[in-house]
Amino acid sequence: MPKNSKVVKRELDDEVIESVKDLLSNEDSSDDAFKKSELMVDDQEEKDVDVEEGSDVEDERPAWNSKLQYILAQVGFSVGLGNVWRFPYLCQKNGGGAYLVPYLILLLVIGIPLFFLELSVGQRIRRGSIGVWNYISPKLGGIGFASCVVCFFVALYYNVIIGWSLFYFSQSFQHPLPWDQCPLVKNTSHTFVEPECEKSSATTYYWYREALNISSSLSESGGLNWKMTICLLAAWVMVCLAMIKGIQSSGKIMYFSSLFPYVVLLCFLIRGLLLNGSLDGIRHMFTPKLEIMLEPKVWREAATQVFFALGLGFGGVIAFSSYNKRDNNCHFDAVLVSFINFFTSVLATLVVFAVLGFKANIINEKCVIQNSEKILKLLKAGNLSQDMIPHHINFSSITAEDYNLVYDIIQKVKEEEFDSLGLKSCQIEDELDKAVQGTGLAFIAFTEAMTHFPASPFWSVMFFLMLVNLGLGSMFGTIEGIITPIVDTFKVRKEILTVICCSVAFFIGLIFVQRSGNYFVTMFDDYSATLPLLIVVILENIAVTRIYGIEKFMEDLKDMLGFSPSQYYYYMWKYVSPSVLLCLLVASIVQMGLSPPGYNAWIEDMATEEFHSYPTWGMIVCISLMVLAILPVPIVFIVRRCNLIDDSSGSLASVSYKRGRIIKEPVNLEGDNTSLIHGKSPSEVPSPNFGKNIYRKQTGSPTLDTAPNGRYGIGYLMADMPDMPESDL
């Protein structure tokens, strides 16, 4: 509020007080209902401070200890496991270095603008996702509840991945690593290699059989895997202890959980560059395939990655920014965190392909040795002539280049019968083209590469500790996206709510640590978040630009930041971003419809994966996940549109938000025809030109009670008057 309006405001206050005194002196003695209430005028100047300028509400809300702590929290939330095992896969699959072009374009078009939007509304209104969207439009309050539901679904299975990482971390303190060699099976007559391991590989066998002890289908539960159950419990205990005091506890942990992964990535990069074949992997990674870049699928996957990499729609971004001061430069934060996220993805990609290049080089050397032995056998059997082989070739120490020369010669000479010889080309590129992502990259490909490192246990400990920290950073933001809105709205104690939330999530999460649990993780990952979050962010954009008003929002940003944001954001928010999001939503629905719903099941006898379609009950669960996640939006809209819940019940429908403060309608006051008391939201009722806050307290109600967050209890009507020259937010 402009400072020169203080005098005008004080004059208006004096007039109001006189008017109230006149009212009280001339009240109708026959009005029994009016006698039951008394009018209290808050005449204390120190309490009459707009929320924008710092009120008791703002003072009592927790705040970050420093700007660095806040930035690390946002970075820790946005930089997660997807940066390490999803981005490199997409980069490899979609044109190598050329994939960075559509990714950067979409980061500028939807990533940074929408990230800036969420930071702005959270910082301005200083509420979690429920309070923010209730404030913007009470009928769209379901957006905040939908965000909480999605956060809960994601937290259920995301913490399971942290549990897997904890298991591998605990098994890394031994030499050799337990997944280094296939186990031997002894019987009465002889010893032999485990057949399932021999048909696959040591790391693949360890992942599916030793770690997960996986069943052969989704329908085959197989009971709980006790090792993973303990790890899941440990993961939830860590999250609960870190979050129990809110940002006061989790903020301090961020210094380690957000920075440690960068230390590990840099160590891995330096170590990886010293390995034989690492440059082959990096060269393969960044060799652009420009023809692939023009395919629509590449742009769809780049947009999806940008969307989820920044954590849009989860509510964690809004929750973290709500603990900022209102004059914080959130535009700078949005740009900084977005580009830190991008460069982290590039750094992780360098590390992954340096290590995969080393692994491919080792596999290629084995391939050359094995096929050279085949050629020697064919020469001895007379199937090949010695004249084909160049004189300088020495099969006892043959190089990959020499082998490829011999291979090409044999292929040309024996063109018709070449396939029957059973020789392989042994190209490093063929191995690097085998795209792996997710658990296949982290727990199979990367672990296999680390077995060839000198001091492999040390690197394994560092790698899985990094995965744990990356996961925890994202989990903190996800849980904050659940806890903060509920605490702000329902005034429950944060400590109790955190313990209850983590306990319930652990018990529900037991379905993920069955022997069939990995298939449920795949199901939740595919169906619980993608479409609901896209719908949530589209509605967020519409709520701010169309319902609240983009011009008004730009004015609020100017008032908050101290400068006018670029008109670039005006056009992005109003036209470009919603259009791109709608296209992405349609493309995702089409992709989901074209892709048969199912999962890759591990077949023990064949030691390989096989695609299985979901059973009927599995399809019902998939659809239910999407419906439940987005259901709060229409429910809250209908309830508030049709006034289905009586305001006097103290229910959710009676909670509105005005100028960053909660307004709780009191129990129905008979004889008072004020619209606000009868259930209309503040935005629907013209407010009188009062400068002070006026509280109407019912006779017999308890004394003024301040909630933990500085909010007043039930029974008080609090209204800040908007007709002053100040921002609507």
Side-chain angles (χ1 to χ4, degrees), residues 213-286:
N213 193 20
I214 199 165
S215 62
S216 58
S217 72
L218 182 71
S219 302
E220 184 184 337
S221 168
L224 290 178
N225 180 341
W226 67 268
K227 293 181 288 188
M228 289 304 170
T229 303
I230 293 174
C231 291
L232 179 63
L233 177 61
W236 276 114
V237 168
M238 291 168 63
V239 171
C240 184
L241 292 177
M243 297 297 300
I244 198 163
K245 292 293 184 181
I247 62 171
Q248 276 78 13
S249 54
S250 64
K252 296 178 177 63
I253 299 173
M254 291 294 179
Y255 287 110
F256 179 77
S257 65
S258 296
L259 293 176
F260 180 74
Y262 290 96
V263 175
V264 176
L265 285 174
L266 288 173
C267 291
F268 263 97
L269 180 61
I270 295 170
R271 184 68 189 91
L273 292 174
L274 299 175
L275 297 171
N276 187 27
S278 60
L279 294 180
D280 293 328
I282 294 175
R283 191 182 305 113
H284 177 83
M285 173 65 250
F286 287 103

Side-chain angles (χ1 to χ4, degrees), residues 307-482:
F307 185 85
F308 288 105
L310 293 174
L312 300 175
F314 280 95
V317 173
I318 293 176
F320 280 151
S321 65
S322 72
Y323 298 112
N324 270 332
K325 295 180 179 179
R326 278 194 176 77
D327 58 353
N328 174 61
N329 188 348
C330 55
H331 174 257
F332 172 80
D333 300 341
V335 175
L336 178 65
V337 173
S338 298
F339 278 101
I340 288 177
N341 187 293
F342 171 69
F343 287 118
T344 303
S345 298
V346 174
L347 174 62
T349 302
L350 285 171
V351 171
V352 167
F353 276 90
V355 174
L356 292 183
F358 166 67
K359 173 176 171 281
N361 192 271
I362 291 175
I363 293 175
N364 196 59
E365 288 176 357
K366 292 180 179 178
C367 177
V368 168
I369 293 171
Q370 291 172 355
N371 284 272
S372 297
E373 292 174 354
K374 284 184 181 180
I375 293 174
L376 286 173
K377 290 178 181 178
L378 292 171
L379 289 171
K380 290 178 182 179
N383 295 333
L384 295 178
S385 171
Q386 186 68 44
D387 296 335
M388 296 183 188
I389 311 301
H391 297 294
H392 71 279
I393 300 296
N394 180 8
F395 283 102
S396 61
S397 59
I398 190 170
T399 63
E401 292 77 10
D402 288 342
Y403 170 78
N404 288 324
L405 175 62
V406 173
Y407 178 87
D408 292 338
I409 293 172
I410 296 175
Q411 189 177 29
K412 290 176 182 177
V413 175
K414 297 284 186 179
E415 185 174 354
E416 295 181 358
E417 52 186 298
F418 180 78
D419 292 339
S420 63
L421 298 178
L423 298 177
K424 296 181 180 178
S425 61
C426 297
Q427 297 284 341
I428 289 182
E429 287 74 17
D430 294 339
E431 188 64 32
L432 289 170
D433 280 333
K434 295 178 182 178
V436 287
Q437 64 165 324
T439 55
L441 174 64
F443 299 108
I444 298 177
F446 219 88
T447 51
E448 183 178 346
M450 286 188 296
T451 58
H452 301 288
F453 281 23
S456 55
F458 168 77
W459 293 105
S460 183
V461 167
M462 294 284 282
F463 177 71
F464 289 110
L465 187 57
M466 178 191 73
L467 290 188
V468 169
N469 279 277
L470 284 173
L472 286 176
S474 297
M475 275 297 296
F476 294 158
T478 304
I479 298 297
E480 197 69 55
I482 302 171

Side-chain angles (χ1 to χ4, degrees), residues 112-317:
I112 295 177
L114 293 175
F115 193 60
F116 179 31
L117 184 145
E118 289 201 354
L119 288 179
S120 302
V121 295
Q123 179 175 309
R124 186 64 168 181
I125 302 172
R126 295 177 64 80
R127 287 288 169 274
S129 55
I130 296 175
V132 160
W133 303 114
N134 264 320
Y135 175 95
I136 297 294
S137 172
K139 293 184 180 67
L140 290 180
I143 296 175
F145 288 98
S147 294
C148 290
V149 173
V150 173
C151 280
F152 187 71
F153 284 160
V154 171
L156 287 177
Y157 74 86
Y158 203 88
N159 222 22
V160 175
I161 301 173
I162 298 177
W164 294 342
S165 302
L166 285 172
F167 173 76
Y168 270 79
F169 172 74
S170 67
Q171 298 299 307
S172 298
F173 295 92
Q174 47 188 308
H175 185 74
L177 292 169
W179 50 83
D180 186 31
Q181 300 291 334
C182 283
L184 299 176
V185 179
K186 295 181 181 180
N187 59 17
T188 54
S189 57
H190 62 285
T191 302
F192 57 92
V193 176
E194 171 64 50
E196 186 182 1
C197 184
E198 191 174 21
K199 292 176 185 176
S200 54
S201 68
T203 51
T204 304
Y205 172 81
Y206 191 87
W207 167 243
Y208 284 114
R209 189 56 51 213
E210 296 293 335
L212 299 180
N213 193 20
I214 199 165
S215 62
S216 58
S217 72
L218 182 71
S219 302
E220 184 184 337
S221 168
L224 290 178
N225 180 341
W226 67 268
K227 293 181 288 188
M228 289 304 170
T229 303
I230 293 174
C231 291
L232 179 63
L233 177 61
W236 276 114
V237 168
M238 291 168 63
V239 171
C240 184
L241 292 177
M243 297 297 300
I244 198 163
K245 292 293 184 181
I247 62 171
Q248 276 78 13
S249 54
S250 64
K252 296 178 177 63
I253 299 173
M254 291 294 179
Y255 287 110
F256 179 77
S257 65
S258 296
L259 293 176
F260 180 74
Y262 290 96
V263 175
V264 176
L265 285 174
L266 288 173
C267 291
F268 263 97
L269 180 61
I270 295 170
R271 184 68 189 91
L273 292 174
L274 299 175
L275 297 171
N276 187 27
S278 60
L279 294 180
D280 293 328
I282 294 175
R283 191 182 305 113
H284 177 83
M285 173 65 250
F286 287 103
T287 301
K289 304 177 183 69
L290 298 177
E291 66 281 0
I292 299 179
M293 189 182 74
L294 301 177
E295 296 179 6
K297 180 187 69 172
V298 174
W299 290 80
R300 178 181 63 81
E301 292 188 339
T304 305
Q305 179 63 17
V306 167
F307 185 85
F308 288 105
L310 293 174
L312 300 175
F314 280 95
V317 173

